Amino acid sequence: MNVSFFGRLTKNPEVKTNQTGTTYTAFTVATQVQAKGQDGKAKSIFIDVSAFGKQGENIVKYFTKGSRIVIHGDIFDARAWVGNNDGQPHIGVNVTMAGFDFVDTQAESAARQQGAPQTTPPLQMQPPPQTAPAQPATGYAPQIPAPMQTGVAPWALPAYGAPQQGAAPMPPQQAPQAYAAGPY
C-alpha cells in the first residue's frame, strides 16, 4: 500500500547491510495522528523506514536527528503487540521509501548538523492591511449598485429588446433592505 507522511527523524540515519549483502539506510520517523490518547494529547507513531541506493545515501548526507521530512513509500510490514512493561497496545510499521521531500531550510539543516539550537521563529499572523475604515460591529451596510437605487432591480428589466405588446407592466421592485445585525 502506498503511503506519504510527514514527521521528524528520531535518531541519525544508519547505513546497514541485510542478509543478502544489500546496503540500505535505516531510520525512524515520528509522526502524529489525529487520534488522541487517553490523556487527551495527540498520539505519535514511529515508522521504521528503509531507503536503498542513492536515496539512502542522500538521507545520510542531508538528514540528522530532528530533521523534518516527508516520506513517500510502500508499507513493507506492520505488526501489533502489547507492551510487557506498560500493558498498552503498540503498533510497528516498516516502510520501504520510494521518495522523499525536504521540509527544513538549508539554514535549519546546517544548524542541526553543527549541533546549534534551532533559531526558527514561531509563526506570527499579521493582520491584513486595511484600506478603508472597518464597518461598525452593530450591522452590515451593503453598497447598493446604482440601478437598484432607482427602484427597478436589474433582473426586472427586459433582457432582450423592448417590452412586448399587450404585456402587463412590471411593478417597481424595492431595493433589498440592509441587514440589521449579521455576523459578517
Side-chain angles (χ1 to χ4, degrees), residues 17-77:
T17 304
N18 64 13
Q19 295 172 345
T20 62
T22 304
T23 303
Y24 67 99
T25 302
F27 57 100
T28 302
V29 176
T31 186
Q32 289 187 340
V33 294
Q34 290 182 347
K36 297 200 185 274
Q38 293 175 348
D39 58 359
K41 295 181 181 177
K43 284 185 174 182
S44 294
I45 60 172
F46 299 90
I47 302 172
D48 297 322
V49 181
S50 299
F52 294 89
K54 188 71 171 170
Q55 289 186 347
E57 294 172 16
N58 286 333
I59 294 293
V60 170
K61 185 176 179 181
Y62 294 110
F63 293 90
T64 60
K65 177 181 178 178
S67 295
R68 296 179 294 177
I69 190 170
V70 174
I71 299 289
H72 309 284
D74 296 309
I75 294 178
F76 174 72
D77 182 33

Side-chain angles (χ1 to χ4, degrees), residues 156-179:
L157 297 175
Y160 302 102
Q164 295 181 4
Q165 292 289 359
M170 299 181 86
Q173 302 250 343
Q174 295 286 331
Q177 298 294 319
Y179 294 104

Side-chain angles (χ1 to χ4, degrees), residues 6-15 25-30 55-71 100-118:
F6 164 79
R8 288 186 182 267
L9 273 69
T10 61
K11 60 183 178 179
N12 290 337
E14 299 177 28
V15 177
T25 302
F27 57 100
T28 302
V29 176
Q55 289 186 347
E57 294 172 16
N58 286 333
I59 294 293
V60 170
K61 185 176 179 181
Y62 294 110
F63 293 90
T64 60
K65 177 181 178 178
S67 295
R68 296 179 294 177
I69 190 170
V70 174
I71 299 289
F100 67 92
D101 294 316
F102 290 94
V103 178
D104 290 339
T105 64
Q106 288 180 346
E108 290 171 330
S109 296
R112 188 176 295 101
Q113 288 178 351
Q114 295 173 359
Q118 287 189 8

